[in-house]
Amino acid sequence: MADELAPLGPLARLRAHTHARIGLGRSGQGLPTAPMLAFQLAHARARDAVHAALDLKALRAGIDGPSLVVHSAAATRTAYLQNPDLGRRLRPQDAASLTKTGPDVVFVAADGLSATAVQAHAPSLIDELARRLTDWKIASVVIAQQSRVALGDEIGERLGAAMVVVLIGERPGLSAPDSLGAYLTWGPRVGRRDSERNCVSNIGVRGGLAYAAAADRIVWLMREARRREITGVDLKEAQTLALDGPGV
């Protein structure tokens, strides 16, 4: 039994290079207690991230500069999870409150499926981006509640922005409940397809992109998007290996 409980030799060494649950050992026909408890904790953190609410006061305080708050047509978290389309459109009163100012870009900090990720990473990433974009006209940051990625299309269209960058909490996994993704869309308007966006993911998590490396990649994409007036699959084909940056 002692051998069954011990980590598996060769696989134990591989665990240092992956988040996959390998080499955990065996107790009878199940897992030893410690790996089982670790799995249950990771699962609970992922579930909590999905249902967490943004601390708007803290998030706005962490963002250097003006911000405004909008809400999707999903009135509750339950409605948001059960009907994804509601998270893709603004509720009428918030849609009416946005007026065209013609910025080069608007950053949208959206809760998505992990408000935990936005709370933890969005302010620092926005700061890194702003320091690299001194030649861009940047709109006030829009904080979006119960938001899907496509909500940024309506926000950008109503503001008359040339580009929208949605910083959104990604679907939590068992190894990363707080991963942030950035979705870039040139010429935002309602009805844009996912193939017309670029995505930079796994920002801020262990083994993912550090803020500076993520900002470098996003800014490269933004400048190329403005030069070529496109985002999406065509711009992805133009990326180079030089974009790879150090992990967290």
Side-chain angles (χ1 to χ4, degrees):
M1 182 63 70
D3 290 339
E4 293 176 346
L5 291 174
L8 304 182
L11 292 181
R13 290 192 294 272
L14 291 176
R15 289 178 62 193
H17 305 285
T18 178
H19 294 304
R21 285 174 163 78
I22 59 174
L24 300 179
R26 180 165 60 87
S27 179
Q29 305 217 0
L31 287 173
T33 300
M36 175 57 73
L37 291 176
F39 174 85
Q40 292 174 341
L41 176 60
H43 186 258
R45 285 173 172 164
R47 288 177 61 90
D48 286 349
V50 169
H51 293 282
L54 284 174
D55 183 338
L56 293 175
K57 183 177 180 180
L59 184 57
R60 298 187 78 175
I63 294 172
D64 185 14
S67 63
L68 57 98
V69 178
V70 299
H71 203 290
S72 77
T76 65
R77 194 63 174 174
T78 299
Y80 169 82
L81 294 172
Q82 292 180 346
N83 191 338
D85 281 343
L86 292 176
R88 298 184 177 110
R89 295 301 301 268
L90 289 165
R91 62 184 178 183
Q93 59 267 43
D94 287 336
S97 71
L98 299 179
T99 57
K100 288 192 175 182
T101 56
D104 294 323
V105 64
V106 55
F107 293 112
V108 178
D111 50 9
L113 289 170
S114 176
T116 305
V118 179
Q119 203 86 48
H121 307 307
S124 295
L125 180 58
I126 290 171
D127 183 61
E128 291 282 352
L129 291 167
R131 289 196 288 108
R132 290 163 170 78
L133 295 168
T134 55
D135 56 332
W136 286 56
K137 181 182 178 182
I138 302 175
S140 297
V141 174
V142 177
I143 300 172
Q145 300 177 89
Q146 313 298 5
S147 174
R148 304 281 175 175
V149 172
L151 191 70
D153 296 335
E154 185 174 7
I155 293 170
E157 182 176 17
R158 288 187 172 273
L159 292 175
M163 169 176 280
V164 63
V165 178
V166 178
L167 307 176
I168 192 167
E170 298 183 295
R171 185 185 304 275
L174 293 176
S175 61
D178 60 344
S179 176
L180 187 72
Y183 290 80
L184 299 80
T185 308
W186 176 262
R189 63 176 184 271
V190 174
R192 281 292 198 190
R193 301 184 302 273
D194 287 340
S195 60
E196 296 175 292
R197 315 184 199 284
N198 290 89
C199 175
V200 178
S201 61
N202 294 320
I203 299 170
V205 296
R206 183 169 62 91
L209 285 173
Y211 302 138
D216 286 342
R217 179 174 293 217
I218 293 167
V219 168
W220 185 91
L221 287 167
M222 290 176 64
R223 294 193 183 282
E224 283 297 297
R226 183 163 69 170
R227 182 177 69 85
R228 300 173 57 186
E229 298 188 344
I230 57 169
T231 47
V233 293
D234 292 333
L235 185 55
K236 285 184 179 181
E237 293 171 357
Q239 290 184 17
T240 68
L241 294 176
L243 288 175
D244 291 334
V248 174

